[in-house]
Amino acid sequence: MGNEPRPLRADARRNRDRLLEVARGAFAAEGVSVPLDEIARRAGVGPGTLYRHFPTKESLLEAVVRERVRRLVDRAQALRHDEDPAAALFTLLDQVVEDAAAKADLVDTLAGAGVEIRTALTTDVTRLHAEIGHLLIRAQDSGAVRGDIGIADLMTVLGGVLYALRHLGAGATREHVVAILYDGLRTGAPA
Amino acid sequence: MGNEPRPLRADARRNRDRLLEVARGAFAAEGVSVPLDEIARRAGVGPGTLYRHFPTKESLLEAVVRERVRRLVDRAQALRHDEDPAAALFTLLDQVVEDAAAKADLVDTLAGAGVEIRTALTTDVTRLHAEIGHLLIRAQDSGAVRGDIGIADLMTVLGGVLYALRHLGAGATREHVVAILYDGLRTGAPA
Amino acid sequence: MGNEPRPLRADARRNRDRLLEVARGAFAAEGVSVPLDEIARRAGVGPGTLYRHFPTKESLLEAVVRERVRRLVDRAQALRHDEDPAAALFTLLDQVVEDAAAKADLVDTLAGAGVEIRTALTTDVTRLHAEIGHLLIRAQDSGAVRGDIGIADLMTVLGGVLYALRHLGAGATREHVVAILYDGLRTGAPA
Amino acid sequence: MGNEPRPLRADARRNRDRLLEVARGAFAAEGVSVPLDEIARRAGVGPGTLYRHFPTKESLLEAVVRERVRRLVDRAQALRHDEDPAAALFTLLDQVVEDAAAKADLVDTLAGAGVEIRTALTTDVTRLHAEIGHLLIRAQDSGAVRGDIGIADLMTVLGGVLYALRHLGAGATREHVVAILYDGLRTGAPA
DNA sequence: GATGAATGAGCATTCATTCAT
DNA sequence: AATGAATGAATGCTCATTCAT
């Protein structure tokens, strides 16, 4: 196809990496409204260079998010055949939560719904859904997780939890928030 | 003190109401970044008229959010002495959820953290917290709701749920999302 | 001609006077950029009322300025036949300076050049020029005031002095500024 | 420290110069209220470009004024040790007048009072005051200039004269206006 | 390939003027 | 005649995107 990203020159690669790194931090800390000029400045390149690597702001956002999604997909795959299915699910959720807790405005944009996500990301998100779905079903089959919910429900709730974690009110703790989610997922809740 | 907002002229009242209505919808659907000019346009008035009623964007946001908060405070107060404390709490949560389900980027901005909330709103939000806190404690005392969480945890989770409901993924249902939250709040969840 | 301002109703007269009074103070203190709404508010009337009396902002400005000009014309006329022509001139200048010293952005707009002055004022300004011109010529004829300048020069310098008085630098005094002008006008300056 | 304004690219330099030129003319002719967009338009650039060079309106004003002030400081310094102190002072005043005659609403804003002047300019203005003050004292010591006035008086009067020159009434001449100022400054004027 | 200057539509806000009540 | 709500053009400033160097 000649369509795959031909290997970049070393300096270009370096710039791209630095831009992603800076963007990750900036979006996480200040939200998606950070000006691109600012990201370029912090990365020590001109805005034109940023543009060469990411032709629109959205494409930069996408790249940042994709990275995270892929990492989660990897983790989910590693847990695919875990012996304790419920533990596997909660371990992954722990990782998602861990990963996103400190992160930001994009993670929830992503996890929340896929609302604004474009084509390129769809594949990765779909795969993540599939992997988590696999873990969910195994956990449900084991009897430890309630059987009345589907993967879409879980993903939606997860988005909400990520959002909540980024907006922990004074006096609230991550542990409590996560505990409520986990207990709500488990069977054994009263009729 | 003669300081109360004297009754508006009929046409002004009409415009103010229309502006609030449009703003409510616009903020809910598109987020707080909707241009004021756009809100004015949709309400069929000039930007100057919007300004006359709401001298800054924040004041408009505040007015929209305040309306909702006050309604919830009223509802909470009506449940204050309900015979079944747990039922009272869940009834209020139902109402919050109902109210906010289709609504808003602001409600969660509100419930989520109080991120950008100014003086005028603080009072109302504080009162809402207090009322829900009262219901929570009564429900905990009755033994039906887990005792290890505080009002801050509940408000934070609630914010997350509202967020989730606004971003229901395809295949997810409001009932399932809410069920997970409610069961997570109840006692009886396994250790 | 039926064109002269028919006598106003008592309340209208009162409003007009109050508006002029407020406008005088506001323009003097804050400059011509004071919003009309603000002037109306301070006068305790609606902007519509202001508009009824002064159909444009400029017309209000004009009215304020005209008042001052007319008072000066009256004073000049009173000095027309004074026994000491030079003293008469300097007395009038004193009065102009006195009048304008505390005043403001309009006086110099006026005195400076007539730059922005419209038809209605022209007559009054012309009369003021004529009166001061008369005093100037008498003072020149008496030998006390330099003969090489004309009324236009004097008016221009006067505008500059008024301007200077409104912008007295720290450490400068009105007396010194005026002394320089007066001495510059007198004969007897060295060749 | 590598902190000096690195040389601009040729095109940027050209734009910056053109903007300054246009701003100089516009402020001079129409006053400081000229819209920035208008200045940009006349310079043939977008408002963003203006912003790149001058991030606020005030900074543009400052730049325009600073240029003039610095030129005058230079001229004053060249006259510091002139043999004829009174001639030196009047020569500088001539230059100020010459420079500003056709110019500007800002120059007088500057000379007049320092009304709106910010930090960056303060230094230059202070230096100009100091230089003119030096010339004034030398001229006074020589006996040719009246001893009862200070530098603040002179600067204030100078501001007024600049103002007057920009508002030369019909029939008035620059020579007459300046002659009045100069003679007012000289000794020998009658008591 | 990199740079950073230029672009220009867009935003929140202001205010002289008009007009329904 | 007074009121004050509405209008809408205009302003200073921002920033994603484009393009000359």
Side-chain angles (χ1 to χ4, degrees):
Chain A
M1 305 297 196
N3 214 2
E4 31 204 277
R6 109 179 67 146
L8 290 171
R9 251 170 46 181
D11 57 345
R13 174 89 228 154
R14 217 168 21 248
N15 276 337
R16 202 192 126 92
D17 289 349
R18 187 135 40 147
L19 280 167
L20 266 180
E21 170 114 0
V22 167
R24 227 178 286 137
F27 285 145
E30 279 127 287
V32 298
S33 65
V34 187
L36 291 189
D37 284 17
E38 180 61 20
I39 290 177
R41 201 185 56 68
R42 290 192 206 164
V45 305
T49 302
L50 198 170
Y51 178 71
R52 161 165 289 270
H53 289 293
F54 306 97
T56 67
K57 184 170 195 172
E58 207 174 293
S59 71
L60 175 58
L61 203 72
E62 224 173 82
V64 169
V65 173
R66 171 145 57 224
E67 255 187 26
R68 300 235 182 101
V69 174
R70 288 200 169 152
R71 191 177 329 155
L72 291 175
V73 168
D74 290 346
R75 287 174 172 174
Q77 284 180 330
L79 291 165
R80 253 181 164 270
H81 304 294
D82 195 278
E83 291 191 357
D84 183 341
L89 176 62
F90 289 115
T91 297
L92 182 69
L93 295 183
D94 274 343
Q95 288 173 343
V96 172
V97 163
E98 185 89 26
D99 193 46
K103 307 291 159 53
D105 241 320
L106 16 142
V107 173
D108 66 0
T109 290
L110 159 70
V115 197
E116 324 228 4
I117 296 176
R118 296 277 173 272
T119 48
L121 250 183
T122 315
T123 316
D124 294 295
V125 172
T126 303
R127 282 174 58 211
L128 182 59
H129 277 233
E131 293 295 338
I132 298 190
H134 180 82
L135 295 181
L136 171 63
I137 288 172
R138 288 224 314 152
Q140 289 174 320
D141 285 349
S142 81
V145 165
R146 64 195 303 162
D148 63 340
I149 62 171
I151 175 63
D153 297 312
L154 175 57
M155 293 306 291
T156 297
V157 168
L158 188 54
V161 169
L162 294 182
Y163 178 87
L165 291 178
R166 281 208 298 104
H167 296 283
L168 271 187
T173 70
R174 193 214 288 196
E175 288 69 32
H176 286 158
V177 169
V178 170
I180 292 170
L181 166 68
Y182 286 5
D183 288 347
L185 289 176
R186 287 202 180 86
T187 50
Chain B
M1 303 304 192
N3 216 2
E4 32 204 284
R6 110 185 59 160
L8 288 174
R9 242 166 55 179
D11 55 346
R13 176 90 229 154
R14 212 164 28 243
N15 276 333
R16 201 192 126 93
D17 289 349
R18 189 138 37 151
L19 281 167
L20 267 180
E21 170 114 359
V22 168
R24 230 177 282 139
F27 284 145
E30 279 127 287
V32 299
S33 65
V34 187
L36 291 189
D37 283 17
E38 179 61 20
I39 291 177
R41 203 185 52 69
R42 288 193 207 165
V45 304
T49 300
L50 200 171
Y51 172 75
R52 159 171 282 268
H53 291 291
F54 306 98
T56 66
K57 184 169 193 172
E58 207 175 300
S59 72
L60 176 58
L61 206 70
E62 225 175 82
V64 169
V65 173
R66 170 142 60 224
E67 252 188 29
R68 301 230 183 104
V69 174
R70 290 203 167 151
R71 193 175 332 155
L72 292 176
V73 168
D74 290 345
R75 287 173 172 175
Q77 283 180 329
L79 292 166
R80 255 183 163 267
H81 304 294
D82 197 277
E83 292 190 358
D84 182 341
L89 176 62
F90 289 115
T91 297
L92 182 69
L93 295 184
D94 274 342
Q95 288 172 344
V96 172
V97 162
E98 185 89 25
D99 194 46
K103 312 269 163 64
D105 233 323
L106 0 143
V107 172
D108 66 2
T109 289
L110 159 70
V115 197
E116 317 224 6
I117 295 175
R118 294 276 173 275
T119 48
L121 251 184
T122 314
T123 315
D124 294 297
V125 172
T126 303
R127 283 173 58 210
L128 182 58
H129 277 233
E131 294 295 337
I132 298 190
H134 179 81
L135 296 181
L136 172 63
I137 289 173
R138 289 224 313 153
Q140 288 174 323
D141 286 349
S142 81
V145 165
R146 63 194 303 160
D148 63 341
I149 62 172
I151 176 64
D153 296 313
L154 176 57
M155 293 307 290
T156 298
V157 168
L158 188 54
V161 168
L162 294 181
Y163 178 86
L165 291 177
R166 281 204 301 103
H167 297 283
L168 271 188
T173 71
R174 190 211 291 191
E175 287 69 30
H176 286 159
V177 168
V178 170
I180 292 171
L181 166 67
Y182 287 6
D183 287 346
L185 288 176
R186 288 203 179 87
T187 49
Chain C
M1 303 297 195
N3 216 2
E4 31 203 278
R6 108 180 66 148
L8 289 172
R9 251 167 49 179
D11 56 345
R13 177 87 227 153
R14 216 166 23 247
N15 277 337
R16 203 192 125 92
D17 290 349
R18 188 134 41 144
L19 281 167
L20 266 180
E21 169 114 0
V22 168
R24 227 178 286 136
F27 285 145
E30 279 125 288
V32 298
S33 65
V34 186
L36 290 190
D37 284 17
E38 181 60 21
I39 290 177
R41 201 185 54 71
R42 289 193 206 166
V45 305
T49 302
L50 199 170
Y51 178 72
R52 161 166 288 271
H53 290 293
F54 305 98
T56 66
K57 184 170 194 171
E58 207 173 293
S59 72
L60 175 59
L61 204 72
E62 225 174 82
V64 169
V65 172
R66 171 146 55 223
E67 254 188 27
R68 300 234 182 101
V69 174
R70 287 198 170 156
R71 192 175 332 155
L72 291 175
V73 168
D74 290 345
R75 286 172 173 176
Q77 283 180 328
L79 292 164
R80 252 180 165 270
H81 306 293
D82 196 277
E83 292 190 358
D84 182 342
L89 176 63
F90 289 115
T91 298
L92 182 68
L93 294 185
D94 274 342
Q95 288 172 345
V96 172
V97 163
E98 184 89 26
D99 192 47
K103 306 292 158 54
D105 239 321
L106 16 141
V107 173
D108 67 0
T109 291
L110 160 71
V115 196
E116 322 226 6
I117 295 175
R118 296 277 172 272
T119 48
L121 251 183
T122 315
T123 315
D124 294 295
V125 171
T126 304
R127 283 174 58 210
L128 182 59
H129 276 234
E131 293 296 338
I132 298 189
H134 179 82
L135 296 181
L136 172 63
I137 289 172
R138 289 224 313 152
Q140 288 174 321
D141 286 349
S142 80
V145 164
R146 63 193 304 160
D148 63 341
I149 62 171
I151 174 62
D153 296 314
L154 175 57
M155 293 306 289
T156 298
V157 168
L158 187 54
V161 169
L162 293 182
Y163 178 87
L165 291 177
R166 280 208 299 103
H167 296 282
L168 271 187
T173 70
R174 191 213 289 197
E175 288 68 31
H176 287 158
V177 168
V178 170
I180 293 171
L181 167 66
Y182 288 3
D183 288 347
L185 289 176
R186 288 201 179 86
T187 50
Chain D
M1 303 309 187
N3 216 2
E4 34 204 279
R6 112 189 54 165
L8 288 174
R9 243 165 54 178
D11 55 347
R13 177 92 229 150
R14 211 164 30 243
N15 276 333
R16 202 192 126 94
D17 289 350
R18 188 138 38 148
L19 280 166
L20 267 180
E21 171 113 0
V22 167
R24 232 178 280 138
F27 285 144
E30 280 126 285
V32 298
S33 66
V34 187
L36 291 189
D37 285 17
E38 180 61 20
I39 291 177
R41 202 185 54 70
R42 288 192 207 165
V45 305
T49 301
L50 199 170
Y51 172 76
R52 161 172 282 268
H53 291 292
F54 307 98
T56 65
K57 182 167 194 173
E58 207 175 299
S59 72
L60 175 59
L61 206 72
E62 224 174 82
V64 169
V65 173
R66 171 142 60 225
E67 253 188 29
R68 302 232 184 103
V69 174
R70 288 202 168 152
R71 193 177 328 154
L72 292 176
V73 168
D74 290 345
R75 287 173 171 174
Q77 283 180 328
L79 291 165
R80 254 183 164 268
H81 305 294
D82 196 277
E83 292 190 357
D84 182 341
L89 176 63
F90 289 115
T91 298
L92 182 69
L93 294 183
D94 274 343
Q95 288 172 343
V96 171
V97 162
E98 183 90 25
D99 193 48
K103 313 267 162 65
D105 234 322
L106 2 144
V107 171
D108 65 5
T109 288
L110 159 70
V115 198
E116 318 225 5
I117 295 175
R118 295 277 173 273
T119 48
L121 250 183
T122 314
T123 315
D124 294 296
V125 172
T126 303
R127 283 174 57 209
L128 182 59
H129 278 233
E131 293 296 338
I132 297 188
H134 179 84
L135 296 181
L136 172 63
I137 288 172
R138 290 225 312 153
Q140 288 173 322
D141 286 348
S142 82
V145 165
R146 62 193 305 161
D148 63 342
I149 63 171
I151 175 63
D153 296 313
L154 176 56
M155 293 306 290
T156 297
V157 168
L158 187 54
V161 169
L162 294 181
Y163 178 88
L165 291 176
R166 280 204 301 104
H167 297 281
L168 270 188
T173 71
R174 190 211 292 194
E175 289 68 30
H176 287 159
V177 169
V178 170
I180 293 172
L181 166 67
Y182 287 4
D183 287 346
L185 289 176
R186 287 202 179 87
T187 50

